[in-house]
Amino acid sequence: MMGVLRTERVSIDFGGLRAVDNLDFQIGDEIVGLIGPNGSGKTTFLNIISGIYKPTRGRVYFNGEDITSLPPHMIRAKGIARTFQTNRLCLNLSILDNMLLGLYCQQQTTWWQAIFMSSSSSREIKLGIEKSLAILAHFNPALITRAYEPVMTIPLIDRRRIEIARAVVGDPRLVLLDEPTAGLNSEETNQMINDIAKIRRRSSQISIIIIEHDMTVISRITERVVCLNAGQKIAEGTFSEVARNELVRTAYLGG
Amino acid sequence: MGNKIYRYSLAGLSTLGICMALYVCLSSALLVALIVIALAIVILSVGERKNVIDKVYRLIGDNKALNLGIIALFILLLPFLVQGNNYLLHIAIMAGIFSIVALGLNFQIGGIGQINFAPAAFYGMGAYTSAFLSVKMGLSPWLGTLCGLLMAIVLGVVVGFPALKARGYYLSLVTIALQIIFTLMIVNSPWIGGPNGIPGIPSYQIGGFSFRTPVALGGIQLPYQVNFLYLVYILLALFALAANRLYNSRVGLAWNAIEQDPIVAACQGINLTNTQLLAFCLGAAYAGIAGAIYGHYTSFIGVENFDFSQSLIFICMVILGGTDNVPGVVLGAVLLTMIDEKLRDFSGYRLLMYGIVLIIILIIRPKGLLPKRIRVYQQKDRSEYSSHSAVVTGGSR
Amino acid sequence: MELIISQILNAVMLACTYTLVGIGFSLFFGAMDIVVFCLGDVAIAGAFAIMALSTVMGVYASLSGILPAPISGIIVVFIGACFTAGLVTLMYRAVIVPFEGKNINASLLSTIAAGIVIRELIGLFYPEGRNPHAFPQLLPAGLIGDNVLLSWRNIIIIAITFIMVMLLYWFVNRTKTGLSIQAISQNKEAAIMVGINWHRIIVITFLIGGFLLGIGGFLTASYFNSLRFDMGAMYGLKGFCVAVVGGLGSIYGAIVGGLLIAFVEVFVTAFIPGGTAYSSVAAFLIVVLFILFKPEGILGEKTVEKV
Ligand SMILES: Nc1ncnc2c1ncn2[C@@H]1O[C@H](COP(=O)(O)OP(=O)(O)O)[C@@H](O)[C@H]1O
Ligand SMILES: [Mg+2]
């Protein structure tokens, strides 16, 4: 198994607080669950991978290449896409525009091409629309009829779907999902589990790191689980292994 | 088939109506102009509530060639309509020049959602560069205009750079400061005329024909303003076309994404630095060209044409017309230019009026006359997907 | 030496005038997270009110008939400052409340527009409004002893600022209302949760800030010995600069920022040949540098945006 992403002794300090502490992590062609109590540094870790924060120490390798100091847009261009814990779509833009943003990294049109070669620009956009609609159809066909509505009018579950769709539409190699089921009821959570499984079914060339609090989600879709506490990795293995781990139990019950 | 002809003529009629309304605003007294504008606001508001505006947009969009033709014809005939009245032609020229600046400013306000308080500095940079080069160095005005454009872009980088680090209030303070520094530097630079400005700026020439000579067209003697009218509106058409293409491209979308959430935008692969600088540089280029033309048109420029209050007027134009809506921005610029010129008789009340108009618009119609719309990429596909109102609702952060 | 001392004194006085309006910016920013761009114009409107009371309306003259001159002066300035407080609260209602919770660009533009309206109204409706006016001499002009450097006017300007800052310090740190203002500026939601009447506190903040602005306008006019309807634009901008350099939201930052900006301006004017023209340029450049490289200002707290 060729490693897709690997971090080496990554740490980050915020003032006196060490939010991620000496974390060694790796992921191959698989779905890895990232669990841990609130404030244990899960989101911060994703922010480091996606380039929003620079780690104080340590390195991040993607496909064997050191991406530690790259800015977020270059990391996206290399093939790491993500969603956010608090659903962050562009609310004033239509569903379609949000999807097209997910394709931005694959498109080539520069500003002068947009002005002087508008036919190639619109051809590119047309292809993007087709691709976006295909992916939307994959998640929820009802969204296609609403493609030209602003995201603001869409219910939460569909917003989360759109955000995931936006992340995968640009064919990333690695997708980071930050609590995709937060705020959903159990029915919706089930749908979401299916949606995430669909990503893998579309292409096994997508690895996924998923942060979750809901253990049924973790147990049903992840192949491996990593548990963080206070920024440190305290356990790693299959879900049942991790669930039996004493450290994990104390961390969750109030360590 | 009959339906098609019906829609065709309806589209033509609505464009014609808009042109006529503008003509009435241009040629009549202040009060009439204000009444026409108030009527327009009422029609727009009612139309929006009844979802008619959307249909009008589609009607006009489906018959683009016809409507553009009507507008072109309207501009072409304008000198005859006003019977060669050079003052009215002057207003029309200024409306065109200001529209170009406003379109450029809209890249920042409408595109990346940053209010730039220094558009008049870009505009002045173009004007002063071109005027200085052609008066003091004897450069051809055409080349001077090009240099004005380039220097404006340089200033665009200077103003745009802080926008990469500062947002909101901080950015407003930076741009206000740069605008004031710009005016102070001009006043304190005797070599470009200081407070006295630059007089005697030469006009454009094509093969010995100076743009400042009157022309006889169709047996009617027309003032020299006609040359500039056509020049300015040809440019405006090109610049508006470019702005529209940008808006509908991946670049315009990236700008909007940055406006909504820079971090999310960066995570989609958008290079924040380049994309935001682009909004400032393109805007500066628009303003630079407009400023250069202004100088060669009026033959005199002074610092008062490029100060902070001029910047505020440009901002008013964009906000009144409707941010990120190309026809809206042009409409806002044209309307405010006309009102502004008509207020010359009451020059003491001019700024007061701007202040009050701005507050009223912000309260009763914060998104402007023609609000920003959801992007519609292909007119034909659209009906398949949604007939839902495409106007952005709500939308505050 | 003499020159340097007199310039230092000059800078301190200028700093006093800047500090009060800077405090206004910081107070309102702390309370509402909003920058009210028309504060300079409001302050100058206050100065015009004081001028009107002491000249055209003749209040000062009739008061002086029955009371000693300093006391009637204090009364006139007090009334003017109260007028300013009222004006600011009016601004709050008219151009801030409608845009609460909306995109900041709207309130930014509306407060700038309000500044223009105030300015132009003074220019149009104050007698001879567009001409510069000599500001009435409410502060004694004589020298203290034989020292040419120390005039009563200078000392009083500094003393008034000092007293105002002390009063504000006492108010903010020792009274319940003041502590509520602090609580709101630190965490609005939590403050409301523990039962602070947010709306009442905001109005009080505006009243207090407005009062300080009125005093600031009075000091500015006294310092320059003249008053123009459009002085407020620059005065407000400088005040905002001062608040940013000191740290937006920090009251003491406004003092430090005021000193820094004033010293830069005075010293560029005094010691750089042809510097007069460039004193404002230098001040604005400093602000731009601060925003670019130390946006939290000298005393402000660094805030990191959480993702
Ligand atoms: N930008 C920041 N500045 C300061 N502290 C931060 C920042 N981002 C996260 N933290 C802190 O790091 C810790 C980990 O946070 P986070 O990664 O969000 O936890 P979670 O595991 O719940 O996602 C928390 O204590 C949080 O307060
Ligand atoms: Mg988290």
Side-chain angles (χ1 to χ4, degrees), chain A residues 37-44 85-86 178-179 211 213, chain C residues 307:
Chain A
N38 270 328
S40 56
K42 306 180 295 292
T43 301
T44 307
Q85 183 169 351
T86 50
D178 198 344
E179 302 200 17
I211 297 181
H213 281 302
Chain C
V307 181

Side-chain angles (χ1 to χ4, degrees), chain A residues 88 91 97 109 115 126 145, chain B residues 245 250 261 377-378 385:
Chain A
R88 281 170 91 163
L91 294 181
D97 277 348
T109 312
I115 295 177
K126 201 168 166 213
T145 51
Chain B
R245 286 184 170 178
R250 140 192 204 263
D261 194 331
Y377 291 101
Q378 293 129 322
Y385 295 124

Side-chain angles (χ1 to χ4, degrees), chain A residues 14 17 19 37-45 53 85, chain C residues 304-306:
Chain A
F14 294 117
L17 177 87
N38 270 328
S40 56
K42 306 180 295 292
T43 301
T44 307
F45 181 57
Y53 294 153
Q85 183 169 351
Chain C
V304 186
E305 192 192 353
K306 280 196 190 178

